Amino acid sequence: MQPLPAEGQINNALQSRFAIVVNRSYGNAVERNRIKRQIRSIVATLMPQIRQGFAVIIFPDTTCKAMEYNHLVVSVKNVLRKSGVLRQ
C-alpha cells in the first residue's frame, strides 16, 4: 500500500507527466537537445488541453530531424490525440 500524498502534493499527483527520451543514434548532443527543447515547448503550450493523470514517454525518431517546427507541432498533437491524452 502506498502512503497518501501530502496536502501540497495532491494537485501534482493528478497532473500529467512527460518524458522525452532521445537515443544517441539520433545525432550529436546539439541535435538531441534541440529536439527535446522543441518537444518540451510544444507540450508546455498544449498543457491546458491535456487530460490529467497520464505519464507519457516520447521517443522521437530520426525523421523528426528533417521536420519543420510547425510540422512537428502537428505530429505531436496527432500522437497525443490518438493516445487519448489530448482533449478533442
Side-chain angles (χ1 to χ4, degrees):
M1 181 185 282
Q2 294 182 351
L4 293 174
E7 188 175 321
Q9 296 176 347
I10 292 174
N11 290 337
N12 291 340
L14 297 176
Q15 189 173 10
S16 292
R17 299 173 294 171
F18 288 84
I20 303 157
V21 180
V22 184
N23 290 332
R24 277 190 166 179
S25 62
Y26 185 87
N28 61 18
V30 174
E31 292 172 329
R32 293 192 306 266
N33 290 335
R34 180 178 181 190
I35 192 68
K36 285 193 276 187
R37 281 194 312 269
Q38 288 178 334
I39 294 174
R40 248 187 257 125
S41 170
I42 294 166
V43 170
T45 58
L46 293 175
M47 273 312 248
Q49 301 170 357
I50 292 176
R51 293 182 180 178
Q52 294 182 342
F54 285 93
V56 181
I57 302 174
I58 299 174
F59 291 98
D61 61 355
T62 55
T63 59
C64 295
K65 281 187 195 180
M67 285 186 192
E68 292 183 16
Y69 183 77
N70 295 334
H71 192 280
L72 188 62
V73 170
V74 172
S75 296
V76 171
K77 279 184 179 180
N78 287 338
V79 167
L80 293 177
R81 193 171 289 125
K82 285 180 183 178
S83 63
V85 175
L86 192 65
R87 292 187 185 109
Q88 298 288 329

